[in-house]
Amino acid sequence: MMSCLQSSWPEPIVRVQALSESGIRAIPERYIKPLSDRPNWPKTSAAVTSKKNSETSPLINIPVIDLQNLFSNDQSLCDKTLSLVSHACREWGFFQIINHGVSPELMKSARKTWREFFSLPLDVKQEYANSPTTYEGYGSRLGVQKGAILDWSDYFFLHYMPRSQRNESKWPQLPPSCRKVIAEYGEETVKLCGRLMEILSINLGLGKEYLQNEFGGGLTLLLPDDDVSGLQVRKCNDWVTVKPVPNAFIVNVGDQIQVLSNAIYKSVEHRVIVNAVKDRVSLALFYNPKSDLLIEPAKHLVTEDRPALYPPMTFDEYRLYIRTNGPCGKAQVESLKSPR
């Protein structure tokens, strides 16, 4: 198992939820992003009005793909769905999926359970406080650089797979439904990610099982808050605010998929904006590669006209960079590129 550079946080941990509920009148400097990283509201959150006919059209959204046709007896419908996923991976790096096989009731229960956990008294949550060694548990920062600008959020991180790393004693006992919901939700979303890996593998011409067998992961499956939007995706030079569709998951192509696809698929920069009035609870399943496996462009996708863009590296090496420096946009994956 990978170990981080240090086993303790460089500064005392302050819980964002506690700060927010304390009645402070201004956000502490530690959480204020540079101007270049802040939302550009006119482009991202307002409707677009056509002066020509005074009609208002909704903002552009990431692709929304219905997966039910993948199981259709009509091959043309199946092929069309595969094509939609391929286009989303190449052009957006993000897409929403509906009719994906996970029950809406389980999705609703997962959101409700974790919202109840974060509503518990602070001393109860503190029993699960994490460290940068594994990040597993209740946390409020990523990265161990002293004085770094922090995200305005708290989180709970846990290992679900592989089973050898699963430690159910670190799963919250409260609310009473929490451990049962974690197990059920984890099982269903892991299955879904396996199916998505098959789709991506087929679209790359690598065969249905290639990505899963050779790499084992590289996706993020996000269950967004059903009331408060927050995710923004970079498209060209603009930020697009994602509008979640009911009962949909948001799929994010990870840096490792970009590497193994030799940049055919895109891992796109994204960020989260804060709502000044409401809190937001979302669940992210990181379907990661095997930790000690070399991640490199698939041999079948490397040609004389398209040489390998990235040298081999293990996921542990990649993860250590993130855990040390915190989220850095696309700085990490861009730094991996081979000199040309």
Side-chain angles (χ1 to χ4, degrees):
M1 181 185 297
M2 181 202 70
S3 61
C4 195
L5 290 176
Q6 59 190 75
S7 59
S8 60
W9 301 111
E11 300 147 322
I13 294 296
V14 178
R15 302 304 180 188
V16 169
Q17 188 174 9
L19 274 177
S20 177
E21 295 172 353
S22 69
I24 59 172
R25 301 180 65 87
I27 302 295
E29 289 290 329
R30 292 295 308 276
Y31 302 94
I32 298 178
K33 304 291 185 182
L35 284 171
S36 59
D37 293 340
R38 298 181 199 174
N40 187 343
W41 293 113
K43 289 185 178 180
T44 58
S45 66
V48 178
T49 302
S50 170
K51 293 182 179 179
K52 182 176 180 180
N53 54 21
S54 297
E55 293 181 355
T56 301
S57 59
L59 281 171
I60 189 172
N61 199 5
I62 61 174
V64 179
I65 302 172
D66 189 336
L67 295 187
Q68 69 176 352
N69 286 332
L70 288 174
F71 312 103
S72 171
N73 293 325
D74 187 333
Q75 188 60 42
S76 65
L77 293 177
C78 181
D79 291 343
K80 181 178 181 181
T81 303
L82 291 172
S83 178
L84 290 172
V85 173
S86 178
H87 180 266
C89 291
R90 292 167 185 262
E91 300 298 326
W92 281 90
F94 275 84
F95 54 98
Q96 297 190 65
I97 51 174
I98 57 174
N99 294 318
H100 38 64
V102 180
S103 75
E105 292 77 18
L106 180 57
M107 298 167 73
K108 181 178 180 180
S109 178
R111 283 197 201 95
K112 179 176 181 290
T113 296
W114 281 108
R115 184 171 288 280
E116 288 176 357
F117 171 81
F118 283 105
S119 297
L120 292 171
L122 182 59
D123 61 330
V124 176
K125 292 179 289 191
Q126 282 292 103
E127 295 178 12
Y128 302 95
N130 70 353
S131 76
T133 304
T134 66
Y135 276 76
E136 192 164 18
Y138 177 52
S140 299
R141 69 174 291 160
L142 298 171
V144 291
Q145 290 185 344
K146 189 172 183 179
I149 295 176
L150 304 178
D151 289 330
W152 187 252
S153 66
D154 300 322
Y155 64 86
F156 197 103
F157 178 79
L158 55 84
H159 292 293
Y160 186 77
M161 296 291 288
R163 288 184 177 271
S164 60
Q165 292 188 26
R166 186 186 299 181
N167 184 354
E168 295 185 14
S169 68
K170 293 187 176 181
W171 296 8
Q173 292 183 307
L174 295 174
S177 62
C178 194
R179 291 185 173 182
K180 180 175 182 290
V181 169
I182 288 173
E184 293 178 357
Y185 181 82
E187 181 179 1
E188 293 303 312
T189 50
V190 166
K191 287 179 185 177
L192 175 57
C193 285
R195 293 194 291 270
L196 289 169
M197 290 293 286
E198 291 177 353
I199 295 170
L200 269 60
S201 195
I202 291 170
N203 280 337
L204 286 170
L206 299 174
K208 183 178 180 180
E209 306 293 337
Y210 183 88
L211 291 183
Q212 185 68 21
N213 291 340
E214 295 296 320
F215 297 96
L219 297 172
T220 298
L221 190 71
L222 179 70
L223 178 61
D225 193 294
D226 56 357
D227 184 47
V228 182
S229 297
L231 176 64
Q232 290 190 325
V233 175
R234 187 182 285 279
K235 180 63 172 173
C236 300
N237 294 321
D238 291 331
W239 288 99
V240 175
T241 300
V242 176
K243 298 179 291 298
V245 172
N247 302 322
F249 284 107
I250 297 171
V251 181
N252 171 19
V253 173
D255 289 346
Q256 294 75 40
I257 294 289
Q258 177 170 320
V259 170
L260 66 86
S261 72
N262 208 23
I264 294 174
Y265 289 167
K266 302 296 188 293
S267 172
V268 175
E269 187 175 2
H270 54 284
R271 65 186 184 187
V272 175
I273 56 175
V274 175
N275 187 293
V277 179
K278 299 179 180 179
D279 59 7
R280 182 180 57 85
V281 175
S282 59
L283 283 67
L285 176 74
F286 302 104
Y287 194 71
N288 293 327
K290 301 166 187 174
S291 63
D292 59 350
L293 196 68
L294 281 180
I295 307 297
E296 60 183 325
K299 298 293 188 292
H300 298 295
L301 303 178
V302 176
T303 64
E304 184 176 340
D305 294 331
R306 192 182 184 89
L309 297 176
Y310 308 94
M313 78 175 304
T314 67
F315 179 65
D316 269 353
E317 292 171 329
Y318 171 88
R319 184 164 50 184
L320 182 59
Y321 177 99
I322 299 297
R323 289 185 174 179
T324 302
N325 300 292
C328 301
K330 293 294 101 182
Q332 167 64 343
V333 72
E334 292 302 316
S335 73
L336 301 179
K337 285 187 175 179
S338 301
R340 303 297 297 273

